Amino acid sequence: ATMRSTLAFVVLAGVIATAAAGAIELDDSNFDDLVLNGGKNAFVKFLAALVRPLQAMKPAWDQLGDEFASSSSVVVGDVDCTVHQDLCSKHEVRGYPTIKYYKQGEDAESYQGGRDFDSLKAFVVDTLQVACQIDDQSGCTDKEVKYIAKMQAAPAAKVAAQIERLEGMKGDKMKPDLKQWLFQRLNILTQIAGSNAEL
């Protein structure tokens, strides 16, 4: 009985892990909040689940979703057009898979690049990811630079408390610029916490 229950637990854990992996499932209830008003740039694949080219691309897209799951500036999502036809129509999807990217404050654009993981990741890093690094602040805004200085001088406990507070706010409704600032601060604080742990 112990072997069976252990096996059942392992299988169940695998199913749960698989369900949580990959891109975020987008629909009418969350598309605007996560893609248009979420404070992040978005990379969205509109799909019809049974289309063969899509099945070939699924592992690379899911790996991309995993890669950027904790990103402070990018969300990777899927919209199943067999279920959410109105949403796909609204975004002018005419064939499958259609991949579009949404940069905050700009209209959607069609992605025409490669469909393998390396091509997709390179596009996200080069075009969508906005990463302020505490060790090289050339990619940081003035506001981020000031925040880095303030939080690097703060005790580790304060940094940890801020991370916990901001993590708790990630699901809250707020204006896109405030949501983006939340993710920018989390990016900075996570780096500071990591460098504090190395000391």
Side-chain angles (χ1 to χ4, degrees):
T2 305
M3 181 67 152
R4 264 193 227 143
S5 60
T6 302
L7 181 60
F9 174 77
V10 169
V11 169
L12 179 61
V15 168
I16 291 169
T18 302
I24 296 169
E25 290 184 31
L26 299 168
D27 57 35
D28 292 312
S29 71
N30 66 3
F31 191 92
D32 286 356
D33 286 343
L34 294 175
V35 175
L36 303 179
N37 305 315
K40 294 184 180 187
N41 293 326
F43 205 23
V44 180
K45 179 180 58 165
F46 295 89
L47 60 103
L50 299 177
V51 173
R52 195 173 293 272
L54 177 71
Q55 293 169 342
M57 185 185 164
K58 183 174 177 20
W61 192 259
D62 285 345
Q63 184 180 357
L64 186 73
D66 289 340
E67 182 85 11
F68 291 94
S70 61
S71 171
S72 65
S73 61
V74 178
V75 63
V76 177
D78 279 328
V79 177
D80 185 345
C81 293
T82 59
V83 178
H84 306 288
Q85 296 100 341
D86 290 346
L87 184 59
C88 295
S89 181
K90 178 180 173 182
H91 291 274
E92 301 176 359
V93 174
R94 310 231 189 294
Y96 309 106
T98 293
I99 302 173
K100 295 191 177 209
Y101 61 98
Y102 300 76
K103 293 177 89 172
Q104 286 296 304
E106 299 178 18
D107 292 335
E109 293 190 44
S110 294
Y111 169 76
Q112 303 297 332
R115 305 295 171 104
D116 60 287
F117 174 73
D118 291 336
S119 298
L120 294 165
K121 180 180 178 182
F123 178 80
V124 170
V125 169
D126 294 343
T127 308
L128 300 176
Q129 187 174 38
V130 181
C132 171
Q133 300 297 317
I134 62 172
D135 295 332
D136 175 11
Q137 298 178 15
S138 61
C140 303
T141 65
D142 289 342
K143 188 175 183 179
E144 288 171 318
V145 170
K146 289 176 186 172
Y147 190 72
I148 290 168
K150 174 183 170 184
M151 295 312 294
Q152 282 181 320
K158 182 174 181 179
V159 171
Q162 284 296 310
I163 290 173
E164 185 176 340
R165 182 179 77 82
L166 293 172
E167 283 288 343
M169 294 171 59
K170 282 188 349 186
D172 295 352
K173 289 207 179 272
M174 60 186 79
K175 292 180 181 177
D177 57 331
L178 294 177
K179 182 78 87 166
Q180 183 174 18
W181 179 233
L182 180 144
F183 284 110
Q184 289 170 301
R185 287 180 291 168
L186 272 172
N187 172 48
I188 291 166
L189 291 167
T190 303
Q191 292 177 64
I192 292 171
S195 65
N196 287 346
E198 292 170 9
L199 298 178

